């Protein structure tokens, strides 16, 4: 109802005087009155206008009131229009109107009592108004549901077991490729669209949900225009007093999502396969390289020992006996061979991280640190270094390698000291599945752009004259940490000291 339009009441009587009287009685009502002087004229007006109520005189020449009502009953457009018969007092109207049960029917006897008539009419008008309102709401609902890309439906299962769709939206029919009239007429025709391989489960789940009156949830295939569509259906039951259950449901086409998910899964699988292949290949070439580095450095040792031995012999025997240049050259040779020996030893210990690592065992890191500090006593003393530390845990590690990490980091912290004497702190903090260690110093620091490459073998930032070393210590630390399932990195600024962090996986069953 738009509120501005009054409902139409059609009054039908063959006598103009009666019409006038009726109009007078109804004049105070909020309705628009239309008149007809015969049954024929009345039917014409009922077809033409939207009539809220017909006040129908029964006794008319030609087509009487009952005849009019009977014809109105048979026409689609007029069959729902309520009729209030006006009858002579002596007529057995109650009996006669039995046949018009489907529409709203009532009667009133002559002579008319204005009060009673108005009461009856206003009841009919209220009925009309609420019906118009519910029609409007339904239309709005249908318009709305036709516009969203989700199908909606209402399905009723009667107490006696029969079932039918009460409402299906346009998208419902489009998504499932169903004919609206066919589905409304025969609910089972909706099953035709279910993919044959899914049909059995679909029917079973439907039945179960119906019997238990539990929400119905379904994701499966439908065949729509010979194409497989993935459909998601969700529907909730509402119980009515009559024992009927009414199911309001939504239908969503998830084919695109499903295809994307499948494609993604396939891609992931392929990617995993490729990563796996790559990893195996890398592992193999890594092993080969390690093997090569080990064999090369091992086999180089012997000839180097010879060269170095003879160089030292030369130095001892002929120092001061040849000219100055010869002395210098011999000195270079001795130095070079010594450095090469250092390099080869470092390379060997680098390649041994994996090949000759001990098995992991419970190790008290406090004790390891104490041992490292004892080993370094001389350099600690000569540089006035102060070393502090947090309480350190007992961890499942290779004891020798844990020693190696701490010793390398502490040695560097002292070696790369600034003017002030070194202050070094060894920290340890438990995180979810690992321990985070840190070694903080107040040394010369490292510019951010170098912070990654210092963990690569032979990468140094200084000459050997500035700081002795082989550039292998941090590469060894990285290997060891990775062998223990952790990571290593540094935070530093040039001139601001450095903090090296590394993590060690906390293995189950180990105390901390
Ligand atoms: P080496 O100490 O033999 O040079 P490392 O692999 O231990 O080899 O270190 C690589 C480089 O990283 C060092 O040459 C140095 O430039 C830098 N570095 C390592 N530790 C520190 C530190 N605590 N402070 C400043 N620079 C450092």
């Amino acid at each position: 109802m738009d509120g501005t339009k009054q409902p139409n009441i059609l009054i039908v009587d063959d006598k103009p005087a009666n019409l006038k009287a009726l109009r007078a009685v109804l004049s105070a009502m909020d309705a628009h009155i239309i008149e007809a002087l015969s049954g024929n004229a009345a039917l014409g007006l009922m077809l033409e206008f939207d009539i809220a109520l017909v006040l129908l005189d029964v006794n008319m020449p030609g087509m009487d009131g009952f005849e009019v009502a009977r014809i109105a009953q048979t026409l689609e457009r007029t069959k729902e229009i309520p009729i209030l018969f006006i009858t002579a007092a002596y007529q057995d109207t109650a009996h006669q109107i039995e046949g018009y049960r489907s529409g709203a029917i009532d009667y009133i006897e002559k002579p008319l009592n204005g009060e009673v008539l108005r009461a009856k009419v206003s009841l009919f008008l209220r009925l009309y108004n609420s019906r118009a309102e519910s029609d409007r709401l339904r239309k709005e609902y249908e318009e709305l549901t036709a516009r969203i890309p989700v199908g909606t439906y209402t399905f009723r299962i009667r107490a006696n077991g029969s079932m039918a769709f009460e409402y299906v939206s346009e998208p419902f029919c489009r998504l499932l490729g169903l004919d609206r009239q066919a589905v409304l007429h025969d609910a089972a025709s909706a099953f035709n669209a279910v993919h044959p391989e899914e049909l059995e489960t679909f029917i079973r789940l439907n039945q179960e949900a119906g019997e238990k009156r539990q929400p119905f949830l379904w994701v499966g295939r439908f065949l729509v225009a010979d194409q497989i569509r993935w459909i998601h259906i969700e529907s909730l039951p509402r119980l009515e007093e009559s024992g009927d259950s009414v199911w309001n449901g939504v239908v969503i086409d998830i084919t695109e999502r499903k295809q994307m998910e499948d494609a993604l899964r396939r891609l992931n699988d392929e990617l995993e396969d490729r990563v796996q292949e790559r990893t195996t290949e890398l592992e193999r070439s890594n092993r080969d390289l390690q093997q090569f580095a080990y064999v090369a450095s091992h086999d180089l040792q012997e000839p180097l020992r010879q060269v170095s031995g003879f160089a030292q012999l030369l130095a001892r025997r002929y120092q001061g006996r040849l000219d100055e240049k010869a002395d210098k050259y011999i000195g270079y040779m001795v130095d070079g061979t010594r450095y090469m020996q250092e390099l080869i030893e470092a390379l060997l210990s680098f390649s041994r991280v994996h090949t000759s690592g001990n098995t992991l065992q419970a190790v008290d890191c406090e004790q390891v640190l104490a041992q490292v500090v004892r080993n370094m006593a001389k350099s600690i003393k000569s540089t006035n270094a102060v070393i502090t530390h947090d309480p350190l845990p007992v961890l499942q590690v290779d004891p020798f390698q844990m020693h190696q990490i701490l010793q390398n980091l502490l040695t560097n912290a002292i070696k790369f000291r600034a003017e002030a004497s070194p202050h070094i702190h060894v920290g340890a903090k438990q995180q979810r599945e690992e321990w985070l260690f840190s070694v903080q110093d107040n040394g010369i620091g490292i510019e951010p752009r170098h912070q990654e490459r210092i963990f690569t073998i032979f990468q140094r930032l200084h000459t050997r004259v500035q700081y002795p070393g082989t550039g292998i210590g941090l590469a060894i630390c990285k290997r060891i940490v990775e062998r223990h399932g952790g990571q290593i990195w540094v935070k530093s600024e040039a001139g601001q000291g450095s903090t090296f962090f590394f993590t060690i996986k906390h293995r189950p069953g180990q105390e901390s």
Side-chain angles (χ1 to χ4, degrees):
M1 280 283 292
D2 58 19
T4 56
K5 208 175 126 222
Q6 289 180 314
N8 295 317
I9 298 179
L10 173 63
I11 54 179
V12 189
D13 201 308
D14 57 311
K15 296 185 191 70
N18 286 352
L19 287 177
K20 202 173 164 193
L22 270 174
R23 188 182 272 280
V25 174
L26 300 176
S27 63
M29 311 224 58
D30 188 18
H32 177 247
I33 311 286
I34 303 174
E35 298 176 0
L37 281 162
S38 70
N40 254 336
L43 281 171
L45 291 167
M46 284 165 83
L47 284 169
E48 188 177 343
F49 295 101
D50 181 20
I51 305 289
L53 169 68
V54 185
L55 290 183
L56 186 56
D57 183 29
V58 170
N59 294 314
M60 289 187 294
M63 194 190 296
D64 75 4
F66 291 136
E67 186 72 32
V68 173
R70 222 177 343 265
I71 295 171
Q73 276 273 289
T74 63
L75 301 173
E76 190 58 36
R77 171 144 169 84
T78 55
K79 70 177 184 199
E80 298 291 339
I81 302 177
I83 297 174
L84 182 55
F85 293 107
I86 301 171
T87 66
Y90 48 82
Q91 257 177 344
D92 175 14
T93 314
H95 175 75
Q96 299 229 29
I97 67 172
E98 280 286 284
Y100 307 103
R101 278 209 179 278
S102 73
I105 299 289
D106 199 359
Y107 67 95
I108 186 164
E109 291 179 348
K110 287 180 187 171
L112 293 176
N113 174 327
E115 283 293 301
V116 176
L117 180 64
R118 274 194 295 272
K120 290 202 174 203
V121 168
S122 72
L123 205 72
F124 275 110
L125 288 184
R126 247 186 286 155
L127 184 76
Y128 173 81
N129 284 342
S130 63
R131 190 179 277 184
E133 177 65 6
S134 80
D135 279 353
R136 188 187 65 81
L137 285 176
R138 165 160 286 263
K139 220 152 109 202
E140 246 176 36
Y141 172 71
E142 285 183 17
E143 272 172 20
L144 199 74
T145 54
R147 254 181 281 148
I148 51 176
V150 168
T152 49
Y153 66 88
T154 304
F155 190 70
R156 178 180 291 272
I157 304 180
R158 296 219 163 67
N160 66 13
S162 70
M163 49 187 86
F165 280 103
E166 274 187 354
Y167 169 72
V168 289
S169 72
E170 192 272 324
F172 173 94
C173 302
R174 184 162 34 83
L175 294 182
L176 302 184
L178 296 169
D179 177 69
R180 187 175 205 172
Q181 290 314 321
V183 176
L184 289 174
H185 180 251
D186 173 17
S189 71
F191 291 144
N192 296 341
V194 180
H195 192 286
E197 287 169 19
E198 313 255 22
L199 189 58
E200 205 184 307
T201 356
F202 185 75
I203 293 178
R204 183 170 49 76
L205 289 177
N206 247 303
Q207 272 171 349
E208 276 174 18
E211 280 160 17
K212 295 183 187 152
R213 288 165 175 172
Q214 279 172 354
F216 174 63
L217 197 80
W218 162 263
V219 175
R221 288 162 299 166
F222 270 61
L223 271 181
V224 179
D226 290 334
Q227 282 197 351
I228 292 178
R229 306 296 303 176
W230 281 88
I231 300 290
H232 173 119
I233 303 178
E234 224 173 302
S235 152
L236 289 175
R238 173 168 51 80
L239 278 186
E240 291 193 343
E241 268 177 30
S242 58
D244 290 7
S245 56
V246 178
W247 300 70
N248 283 317
V250 290
V251 173
I252 306 168
D253 187 323
I254 55 164
T255 312
E256 271 77 35
R257 196 180 86 196
K258 193 94 187 156
Q259 283 166 348
M260 249 148 61
E261 280 171 5
D262 287 350
L264 208 64
R265 197 170 314 119
R266 267 199 308 277
L267 262 177
N268 261 338
D269 289 351
E270 269 173 37
L271 208 66
E272 242 165 60
D273 287 353
R274 256 188 279 164
V275 168
Q276 188 56 47
E277 267 172 40
R278 234 352 115 69
T279 313
T280 321
E281 207 180 295
L282 265 175
E283 278 169 0
R284 192 184 49 74
S285 71
N286 228 352
R287 259 199 318 273
D288 289 353
L289 258 178
Q290 269 170 31
Q291 185 77 6
F292 173 75
Y294 180 76
V295 170
S297 40
H298 186 265
D299 290 0
L300 278 176
Q301 271 183 321
E302 195 41 46
L304 183 63
R305 244 195 301 272
Q306 259 183 25
V307 176
S308 148
F310 283 112
Q312 280 165 20
L313 200 67
L314 258 181
R316 269 204 309 275
R317 284 251 180 108
Y318 297 98
Q319 191 87 38
R321 293 211 201 163
L322 304 168
D323 60 7
E324 224 172 85
K325 267 192 181 154
D327 281 355
K328 208 156 81 184
Y329 294 159
I330 293 173
Y332 286 158
M333 209 155 90
V334 172
D335 255 12
T337 48
R338 202 173 288 140
Y339 183 53
M340 196 158 171
Q341 256 166 341
E342 264 178 54
L343 277 177
I344 284 179
E345 264 160 35
L347 200 58
L348 264 175
S349 74
F350 178 75
S351 62
R352 276 190 191 123
V353 169
H354 282 276
T355 51
S356 45
N358 295 312
T359 48
L360 308 190
Q361 50 188 276
V363 171
D364 184 350
C365 298
E366 291 263 357
Q367 282 181 16
V368 175
L369 180 66
Q371 182 61 47
V372 170
V373 170
R374 272 198 297 278
N375 290 356
M376 294 171 60
K378 223 165 119 191
S379 66
I380 293 174
K381 194 161 174 230
S382 68
T383 56
N384 284 327
V386 177
I387 300 178
T388 54
H389 68 91
D390 290 347
L392 302 183
V394 172
L395 288 177
Q396 204 66 22
V397 290
D398 176 328
F400 175 71
Q401 293 187 339
M402 188 69 189
H403 184 107
Q404 236 178 331
I405 302 178
L406 289 176
Q407 179 141 339
N408 283 352
L409 294 180
L410 289 178
T411 307
N412 280 349
I414 290 181
K415 181 162 59 169
F416 298 102
R417 64 185 175 277
E419 302 264 300
S421 51
H423 270 86
I424 304 163
H425 182 76
V426 180
K429 206 161 58 175
Q430 185 167 18
Q431 297 182 328
R432 250 174 307 165
E433 287 171 0
E434 58 193 18
W435 275 82
L436 174 68
F437 286 81
S438 55
V439 176
Q440 184 179 20
D441 65 44
N442 58 341
I444 60 171
I446 304 161
E447 277 183 61
R449 68 195 164 103
H450 297 311
Q451 288 175 7
E452 243 183 79
R453 72 181 178 97
I454 54 171
F455 294 98
T456 310
I457 192 165
F458 298 139
Q459 291 291 333
R460 316 193 63 234
L461 306 179
H462 312 274
T463 62
R464 270 201 310 135
V465 180
Q466 291 170 294
Y467 295 97
T470 52
I472 239 171
L474 289 178
I476 291 182
C477 290
K478 186 167 181 324
R479 277 212 147 182
I480 294 178
V481 166
E482 283 170 357
R483 183 178 170 232
H484 287 76
Q487 283 177 313
I488 185 167
W489 68 98
V490 64
K491 262 195 191 150
S492 177
E493 291 287 339
Q496 304 290 318
S498 316
T499 308
F500 282 82
F501 294 94
F502 67 93
T503 55
I504 297 282
K505 224 180 179 164
H506 188 68
R507 283 160 216 277
Q510 99 194 5
E511 354 156 13
S512 58

